[in-house]
Amino acid sequence: MTSTFSKSREYLRHIDGIRAIAVISVFLFHLNVPYFSGGFVGVDIFFVISGFLITRLIVQELNESGGFSFSNFYLRRLRRLGPAMLLTVFASFVAAYFQFAPADLRQFGGSVVASLLSVSNIFFWYESGYFDTESALKPLLHTWSLSVEEQFYLTWPLILIVSSTLLGARRTVLVVGAIGTISFLVNLWVQFGGSGFTDLKSAMFYLPFFRVFELVIGALLVWAWAWRPKSAGWNDFLTLLGLGMIAVSIYYYDENTPFPTYYALLPCIGTAFLILAGDGSRIRYALTNGVSVRIGLISYSLYLVHWPLIVFWSYSHQLTSTAKAGIFVAALVIATVMYFLVEQPFRSANRLPMLGRNLPFVTTSVLLAALMATPGAHAWAHKGWLWRLDPGILALIDPQNVAAGPAHTRFKCLLGRGEDPSAFDEECYRIRPNGRPNILLLGDSTASGLYPGLNELLGEEANIYLTAVAGCPPLLGLDIRTSPRCGEANQYLFKTLIRNHAYDLVIMKSLASDTMFQRYFPATRAAISDSGTNYLVLGRGLEFKKGLLTLITQYGKEAGLDEFVERNLQAPCGDEQGIDKFVPPDNFLSLKDIFCADGKPTFRDGSNVYFIDGVHMTRFASRLAAKPIAAWIRANDVLRPGS
């Protein structure tokens, strides 16, 4: 391969400035700072940088020595990444042990093992789903991107070496470009492949092959280096263009932007422009100033520590503006200390060329990883160490408690956010020709929790159907950003499904706000009336500021638990949050009346808790809530033949 660099391991100061943009963008995105809704593209900026630097290192070694030392390459990676990662995992384990509920500690234990084995991206992909532990309870979630890079390190040197040996340098460039092109085309195939590819979209986010094209964009810069612009004017233009492309993606993208797909090209190509032109531009000071470079130097440690700090604080406290500022400063301080006391001392030994001289370091690293992975695996296999808790609390939050599982159906009657409405199984809505009344339960994911109780209580007298879309209130005309295709789903449900099926009753349950009801319920009511169907709107019910099991574990004792839970309600008993104002009284039923007594919330019956998280009912609660709904149904003669 032809070298395109004047000297081996040449330090490019402006790249640390680009790293600073990447890590600060991710950090501010995780802190929910305004104007940084697309800050997650910082990860993609890192991918481009890694693709460039790793490919440059491999090409330079091949050019200078005519060969490649795999042992030295992987030792450098281990010394560069291992010590800070081990320290972060250890500190997170200590914090999780004292703070996390068993279910959360169990998940954390699995993520410890996966992170240390560099497969956390696969772990988080495998467990992803609507009822998955929310991301705010996963201190090691951010390590998925590090696992992608480490998997890239395992295969990329071999690909380049085999390609250059068999095909030569020029054709190696074509091979690299072809790999990136295929990766990008597969992204597009999944994105536009229709409902059949819905399950692949989380894989597209987490798995390495779907991200390879981003790393390849950086890798191709190695061969493009010799053709960099020579004039300051062109370098200025590319630098400004690159900064602008990254800024646009950070500002305009959000969690609903399909990713990576073609949306990733904007920040990735922008990063490529900065790498090519940044050190030759007259405005390079934007990247090479002392502050940017210093943040870039500590960017790895800063990336490692920022998310666990956010998670552990948010687990027990509100993430206020003051807290965000404190976490930001604390992360910078901790990352700086880690850089000088952990990263630098171990990286300085990179010059040792032989495995034997590094054997103590390698052995110690493996032993430390095993010492952390073993309790992590044990916590995963043993219910998150239930023995840490008092017996009374233990009974309430035991994951094996029959009341502590999300209620669901056998068929695909609950669609995820953004799924095609046609993905519903026919059994979820198709009228059964048995002469019984037909009742359709319609709503977001909270509606699905009512299905088991209603079906158990009324299943012998009526046909109970369910069509629910996560995060999508059943209001005609409503289109909500947090649930893509919600408007399309509601159009299908009200204009096609309800109109074409002879339901006797439609029950609606969701977390819709009063403003949503005020604006969209009139059209919804009209559509139902046009179909000749009766309807019942259920109130939002009890909602908690955090997951109920988390609150119980956080408080940790029986005395005063009821009062503590009450203080953590989103709205008190008796407050229907304005929904009842826009629904006729005869067609509205409060769920708070079910879970409140004398103005106080009830969240358990013995050891049976009523909510699996902050809003979703357990099976036990589903049966409890079904009773007054069934009473309303009987009182309104829905079950009477010919009603």
Side-chain angles (χ1 to χ4, degrees):
M1 294 187 184
T2 304
S3 175
T4 55
F5 296 93
S6 58
K7 55 183 178 179
S8 178
R9 316 290 187 265
E10 177 187 10
Y11 172 61
L12 302 174
R13 182 180 174 92
H14 70 293
I15 286 184
D16 276 322
I18 304 172
R19 283 189 175 120
I21 294 174
V23 73
I24 294 300
S25 299
V26 173
F27 199 167
L28 296 181
F29 165 71
H30 283 152
L31 287 173
N32 294 317
V33 174
Y35 311 117
F36 283 84
S37 62
F40 55 84
V41 302
V43 169
D44 308 275
I45 295 172
F46 277 127
F47 284 159
V48 176
I49 294 172
S50 294
F52 169 68
L53 293 177
I54 292 302
T55 304
R56 183 182 75 146
L57 186 152
I58 296 168
V59 170
Q60 286 178 339
E61 186 167 339
L62 289 171
N63 289 339
E64 293 169 2
S65 65
F68 184 78
S69 172
F70 283 92
S71 61
N72 283 347
F73 176 80
Y74 292 120
L75 280 170
R76 283 195 293 267
R77 304 278 69 72
L78 181 61
R79 285 189 172 277
R80 167 77 175 89
L81 305 174
M85 169 68 89
L86 288 171
L87 180 59
T88 302
V89 172
F90 173 75
S92 297
F93 210 140
V94 172
Y97 174 84
F98 288 105
Q99 195 172 7
F100 273 8
D104 301 326
L105 185 66
R106 179 183 182 274
Q107 188 281 335
F108 175 77
S111 70
V112 166
V113 177
S115 299
L116 294 174
L117 292 176
S118 299
V119 292
S120 63
N121 59 325
I122 299 173
F123 174 82
F124 291 120
W125 164 62
Y126 182 77
E127 67 163 18
S128 62
Y130 188 80
F131 284 106
D132 174 28
T133 306
E134 57 185 301
S135 61
L137 302 180
K138 297 178 179 178
L140 299 180
L141 178 64
H142 63 318
T143 64
W144 74 267
S145 64
L146 303 178
S147 291
V148 168
E149 289 197 26
E150 288 151 10
Q151 291 156 20
F152 176 73
Y153 299 153
L154 286 175
T155 57
W156 197 240
L158 186 62
I159 291 172
L160 292 181
I161 292 167
V162 171
S163 178
S164 63
T165 301
L166 298 179
L167 302 175
R170 290 186 178 180
R171 292 180 179 175
T172 296
V173 180
L174 297 178
V175 170
V176 170
I179 291 172
T181 301
I182 294 170
S183 170
F184 179 68
L185 291 176
V186 172
N187 269 265
L188 298 183
W189 182 47
V190 172
Q191 182 183 4
F192 298 108
S195 61
F197 296 96
T198 300
D199 293 339
L200 284 176
K201 290 182 179 178
S202 60
M204 187 168 64
F205 186 86
Y206 283 113
L207 299 188
F209 184 74
F210 296 97
R211 297 282 185 167
V212 162
F213 78 93
E214 301 178 330
L215 292 143
V216 164
I217 288 173
L220 290 174
L221 297 178
V222 173
W223 288 276
W225 199 257
W227 289 278
R228 288 186 302 160
K230 305 302 181 184
S231 71
W234 272 107
N235 283 320
D236 291 347
F237 171 74
L238 289 179
T239 299
L240 287 172
L241 181 60
L243 289 171
M245 293 170 74
I246 292 172
V248 167
S249 60
I250 290 172
Y251 180 79
Y252 284 104
Y253 290 1
D254 59 30
E255 60 183 4
N256 298 310
T257 304
F259 220 79
T261 73
Y262 59 85
Y263 287 97
L265 293 178
L266 191 65
C268 289
I269 294 176
T271 302
F273 287 158
L274 291 183
I275 293 174
L276 280 177
D279 66 336
S281 169
R282 287 171 296 191
I283 55 174
R284 60 182 176 272
Y285 187 73
L287 300 174
T288 60
N289 65 83
V291 173
S292 294
V293 170
R294 284 175 175 81
I295 293 176
L297 289 171
I298 67 169
S299 61
Y300 176 58
S301 287
L302 184 57
Y303 183 80
L304 281 176
V305 304
H306 86 280
W307 181 243
L309 287 175
I310 294 173
V311 169
F312 289 118
W313 177 268
S314 301
Y315 198 88
S316 302
H317 305 84
Q318 293 295 316
L319 195 60
T320 62
S321 297
T322 302
K324 291 177 182 180
I327 290 171
F328 189 84
V329 172
L332 287 173
V333 172
I334 294 171
T336 301
V337 173
M338 284 178 61
Y339 175 75
F340 285 107
L341 299 186
V342 180
E343 285 193 64
Q344 282 296 92
F346 288 103
R347 289 177 66 183
S348 64
N350 275 344
R351 300 171 185 173
L352 299 175
M354 298 181 64
L355 177 61
R357 298 178 185 177
N358 285 275
L359 192 58
F361 169 77
V362 174
T363 303
T364 302
S365 298
V366 171
L367 288 174
L368 288 175
L371 285 174
M372 282 184 275
T374 300
H378 191 272
W380 171 264
H382 292 81
K383 306 179 185 178
W385 294 344
L386 296 172
W387 43 264
R388 296 174 300 145
L389 304 175
D390 293 339
I393 299 298
L394 182 62
L396 287 173
I397 55 86
D398 186 343
Q400 297 304 313
N401 187 323
V402 294
H408 55 80
T409 65
R410 291 190 298 121
F411 303 103
K412 190 175 180 62
C413 301
L414 170 61
L415 301 186
R417 297 170 188 260
E419 281 198 71
D420 191 317
S422 64
F424 284 116
D425 287 341
E426 286 191 0
E427 291 295 324
C428 303
Y429 60 83
R430 186 177 57 191
I431 298 295
R432 298 164 201 150
N434 55 17
R436 297 174 182 171
N438 298 290
I439 300 173
L440 174 64
L441 181 58
L442 190 67
D444 57 18
S445 60
T446 63
S448 67
L450 288 169
Y451 178 84
L454 281 174
N455 196 49
E456 179 180 319
L457 194 60
L458 298 176
E460 297 297 322
E461 303 174 72
N463 300 313
I464 310 297
Y465 308 94
L466 170 68
T467 54
V469 181
C472 179
L475 293 169
L476 189 60
L478 173 66
D479 205 354
I480 187 168
R481 293 183 65 191
T482 54
S483 185
R485 306 185 77 168
C486 179
E488 179 184 346
N490 281 327
Q491 187 75 16
Y492 168 75
L493 292 170
F494 287 103
K495 294 295 188 179
T496 301
L497 194 146
I498 294 177
R499 177 177 291 176
N500 296 336
H501 294 77
Y503 299 114
D504 297 281
L505 177 67
V506 172
I507 302 175
M508 291 177 282
K509 167 70 175 76
S510 71
L511 298 179
S513 66
D514 57 343
T515 55
M516 290 178 183
F517 261 86
Q518 182 178 19
R519 182 172 180 181
Y520 298 107
F521 184 69
T524 304
R525 180 184 178 183
I528 297 175
S529 298
D530 289 345
S531 68
T533 304
N534 196 4
Y535 70 92
L536 171 65
V537 175
L538 302 177
R540 291 173 58 131
L542 292 185
E543 299 170 46
F544 303 94
K545 295 177 181 178
K546 296 181 182 179
L548 179 58
L549 301 184
T550 300
L551 290 171
I552 292 171
T553 308
Q554 179 183 335
Y555 191 73
K557 54 184 181 292
E558 284 275 4
L561 178 61
D562 293 347
E563 291 75 13
F564 176 76
V565 170
E566 183 180 4
R567 291 197 299 272
N568 281 275
L569 284 177
Q570 291 284 14
C573 288
D575 182 358
E576 295 296 341
Q577 295 162 275
I579 296 174
D580 54 330
K581 298 177 183 177
F582 306 104
V583 182
D586 291 341
N587 296 91
F588 181 83
L589 181 65
S590 172
L591 291 182
K592 286 191 173 179
D593 292 343
I594 303 168
F595 298 110
C596 289
D598 300 324
K600 302 290 184 181
T602 57
F603 60 91
R604 56 175 169 164
D605 182 0
S607 62
N608 293 310
V609 293
Y610 293 159
F611 295 87
I612 186 62
D613 51 26
V615 293
H616 295 98
M617 294 181 190
T618 62
R619 293 187 183 95
F620 189 87
S622 180
R623 291 192 291 269
L624 187 66
K627 294 178 181 178
I629 299 174
W632 186 96
I633 290 172
R634 291 192 170 94
N636 285 269
D637 294 328
V638 176
L639 301 180
R640 187 178 63 186
S643 62

